[in-house]
Amino acid sequence: MAKPRVVSELLWDGLLWLVMAGHVFLSPFTKVEESFNLQACHDSLLHGRNIQQWDHLQFPGAVPRSFLGALVASWIAFPISVGLSNPALLRVVRLVVGSLSVLAHARFRAVLTAEWGVTVGRVFALLTITQFHLPFYMSRTLPDVFALQIATLAHAEFVKGTERSAYTCLVLLSLAAAIFRCDLLVLIAPVGLLLLWQRRVQFLKAAVVTALAALAGALLSISVDSVLWQRWLWPEFEVLWFNTAENKSSEWGTEPFLWYFYSALPRALLGSFPLAALAVLVEPRARMLVWVAGAFILLYSFLPHKELRFIFPALPLLNAAAASTAARVCRFKWLKPLWQLAIAGLCSGSFLGTCVMSWASFGNYPGGVAMAGLHSIEKASAPLSIHIGNLAAISGVSRFLEERPNWQYSKEEGLSVEALSNAGFDRLISEYPEVPGYHCIAQVDGFERLLLSKAWPPITAKRRPQIFVLAKSDGTTIKCDEHFQRWSAATHPEYQTLQLLSA
């Protein structure tokens, strides 16, 4: 029988799992960045060895990615996938990915508790639970999330402080870089230098261990991914070449050099941000975590194309530093009540910010709402051909939502209004409100921006019609306008969460 203390500590990890699962059910749909691995999970579970039916052969994306994360998630999900509908299976896959992320964070928290004390471990859990980005993304099928899982395990070895754990840390980071995110090379550099400075590793041995681990990861990726991509390749090398030598990632937009520091980190860390910064001054043992995370983000800032998910591996380090700072300052007896009040205020502010961002994300998947809504109003026995427009495909539609075997789903790209009109599809899920020969069924609201309001609640989400559901007519054309019903996750949850829950 587990000791009460062990049970109480596990409850903190259970709370993180519940928050992660809450995001899965509130926002079950996915965006374009997640589509490769999500479609790979779908194809692995439903098509198996019939590779010609896999989605990536028709829609390969800008650069190839590794299938290893998706395959592991699919293999874990397989025993409980039998008999489930496609939408329910989507939730199962995401819960599997999220559970792996929670386990990695639980391991890191356990090491923090053992090395730095129970208070640090519990505050670390509290800070993570009250944030938005980490719990929200933990279940999402991004290469960044698979890399985060391994990097978080590496962070645990980094904090342990032994020679063996130092080499294990380098091995884990090298594997993650070779398989999922080549960009982790810029995390290996500061970690390796700090381990050398601490005399926990020897330079030559560390270099050999790191190189061999990277080679093992590369060979594993090449052997599996070459089969599925049907050509010899090492995905992360092609990604590295695409981002650095060709610098093509800039085509997806650029941000100022310090954008991560003044925009991304404050949004991701919320109340942890000032505590992590304070660690540099008041908490010597956490200082190394801040320097490593800061160096990683600084090096990453040289890449013009920036996204918050690129710096996910730094967030657990900074949360740990923030937790250690909170534990330290609460030891100052003469200011303890004031510090406790300040920390409670920071956590409360983080929670409120998380509520706002969760509400915004709830309505940010109009394509998924449109797809689920169309299935809910059409008879299952009627064979239909459905065209899924580009905006719908990148805002929630995935193959997990293609639940009617007698329907034909098309994601043919680049079709103009005229081409759609002549293609003869029975139903359109489109960004066009008017297509000749079609009449409007519904328009689907999507999140546009947050607005301040004098009434309650003080912050509201502005939404506008972004996706339009159209049906083929007898030749007449009826445009979607204010006279037609509007579907949204907020006003019609049966098209999203409730329908998926009952699937």
Side-chain angles (χ1 to χ4, degrees):
M1 182 175 179
K3 296 180 180 180
R5 182 174 177 179
V6 174
V7 172
S8 65
E9 290 306 304
L10 290 176
L11 287 175
W12 288 97
D13 302 319
L15 284 174
L16 178 58
W17 189 91
L18 288 175
V19 172
M20 175 277 297
H23 284 299
V24 171
F25 287 102
L26 284 174
S27 301
F29 305 128
T30 54
K31 285 293 184 75
V32 62
E33 297 88 354
E34 308 156 58
S35 61
F36 168 76
N37 281 298
L38 190 73
Q39 312 289 38
C41 288
H42 171 277
D43 297 338
S44 175
L45 288 167
L46 298 181
H47 297 307
R49 296 182 181 180
N50 187 7
I51 300 175
Q52 298 304 319
Q53 295 295 318
W54 286 42
D55 185 80
H56 69 282
L57 296 180
Q58 185 178 2
F59 301 99
V63 289
R65 306 307 304 234
S66 175
F67 287 90
L68 288 172
L71 291 177
V72 170
S74 301
W75 291 336
I76 297 174
F78 178 75
I80 53 178
S81 66
V82 178
L84 294 179
S85 67
N86 279 9
L89 190 55
L90 167 63
R91 300 198 319 278
V92 169
V93 167
R94 286 195 54 197
L95 285 173
V96 166
V97 175
S99 297
L100 293 175
S101 298
V102 171
L103 286 174
H105 271 71
R107 168 61 180 164
F108 186 29
R109 198 182 74 81
V111 171
L112 288 173
T113 300
E115 298 291 329
W116 293 357
V118 173
T119 301
V120 174
R122 292 179 177 178
V123 175
F124 173 77
L126 183 62
L127 292 174
T128 306
I129 288 168
T130 55
Q131 290 172 350
F132 170 75
H133 285 90
L134 272 179
F136 180 81
Y137 279 98
M138 277 182 174
S139 65
R140 298 196 169 270
T141 52
L142 291 161
D144 313 84
V145 172
F146 296 129
L148 171 66
Q149 294 167 355
I150 301 176
T152 305
L153 295 176
H155 298 338
E157 301 300 320
F158 180 64
V159 170
K160 281 181 72 173
T162 65
E163 179 181 344
R164 182 177 180 179
S165 67
Y167 289 109
T168 304
C169 172
L170 293 176
V171 167
L172 289 170
L173 289 177
S174 299
L175 288 172
I179 298 173
F180 296 119
R181 287 299 309 189
C182 59
D183 321 77
L184 284 178
L185 290 171
V186 296
L187 180 58
I188 295 174
V191 167
L193 288 173
L194 186 56
L195 292 176
L196 284 170
W197 180 75
Q198 294 175 333
R199 297 184 179 180
R200 290 172 59 189
V201 298
Q202 299 175 3
F203 176 78
L204 184 58
K205 184 178 178 180
V208 171
V209 167
T210 301
L212 289 177
L215 178 62
L219 291 176
L220 177 61
S221 177
I222 291 170
S223 61
V224 173
D225 295 317
S226 295
V227 173
L228 292 171
W229 281 106
Q230 300 189 335
R231 65 182 177 91
W232 286 104
L233 84 166
W234 175 16
E236 280 311 293
F237 177 78
E238 295 196 15
V239 173
L240 181 64
W241 187 264
F242 181 88
N243 288 339
T244 56
E246 297 180 342
N247 195 27
K248 288 187 177 180
S249 63
S250 298
E251 297 175 4
W252 277 261
T254 62
E255 299 289 349
F257 183 80
L258 295 177
W259 180 80
Y260 284 126
F261 293 95
Y262 70 76
S263 179
L265 280 178
R267 284 184 289 115
L269 295 175
L270 297 175
S272 292
F273 185 71
L275 291 173
L278 190 60
V280 178
L281 299 176
V282 304
E283 184 51 281
R285 62 185 178 182
R287 206 169 286 157
M288 62 178 182
L289 303 185
V290 178
W291 288 124
V292 165
F296 166 63
I297 297 170
L298 184 65
L299 291 171
Y300 221 132
S301 297
F302 284 95
L303 189 68
H305 176 59
K306 297 176 175 64
E307 294 188 42
L308 192 153
R309 58 190 173 92
F310 294 166
I311 61 168
F312 278 174
L315 302 185
L317 289 173
L318 294 172
N319 278 336
S324 184
T325 301
R328 170 73 67 178
V329 296
C330 285
R331 296 175 188 169
F332 302 154
K333 293 183 179 180
W334 61 92
L335 290 176
K336 185 175 180 178
L338 183 61
W339 280 118
Q340 289 178 331
L341 183 61
I343 293 168
L346 289 173
C347 290
S348 299
S350 294
F351 177 73
L352 291 175
T354 294
C355 290
V356 172
M357 287 185 274
S358 298
W359 177 244
S361 67
F362 177 61
N364 205 23
Y365 300 88
V369 174
M371 187 77 156
L374 181 62
H375 283 80
S376 71
I377 65 172
E378 296 287 354
K379 294 181 179 179
S381 58
L384 297 173
S385 58
I386 315 297
H387 182 264
I388 301 162
N390 182 62
L391 183 56
I394 66 176
S395 64
V397 174
S398 70
R399 297 188 74 175
F400 279 109
L401 300 186
E402 298 176 2
E403 51 181 312
R404 301 280 173 83
N406 60 334
W407 286 17
Q408 294 181 349
Y409 302 90
S410 169
K411 293 191 294 183
E412 186 178 353
E413 298 177 331
L415 296 183
S416 64
V417 173
E418 292 76 14
L420 281 174
S421 177
N422 296 326
F425 294 105
D426 296 310
R427 302 290 184 270
L428 305 178
I429 302 177
S430 175
E431 54 266 44
Y432 301 121
E434 182 179 12
V435 175
Y438 287 81
H439 65 82
C440 181
I441 296 178
Q443 45 194 347
V444 186
D445 287 348
F447 173 78
E448 187 173 32
R449 67 179 184 271
L450 293 173
L451 296 174
L452 295 177
S453 173
K454 294 181 179 179
W456 182 263
I459 299 178
T460 58
K462 181 180 180 181
R463 295 179 171 87
R464 64 175 178 83
Q466 296 180 358
I467 303 293
F468 305 93
V469 183
L470 306 166
K472 190 176 181 181
S473 66
D474 55 2
T476 59
T477 300
I478 302 177
K479 178 183 178 180
C480 285
D481 55 27
E482 65 274 8
H483 297 99
F484 289 89
Q485 60 179 320
R486 293 171 67 169
W487 297 346
S488 75
T491 57
H492 293 284
E494 67 271 21
Y495 297 134
Q496 183 174 345
T497 307
L498 294 183
Q499 185 198 19
L500 293 178
L501 284 170
S502 62

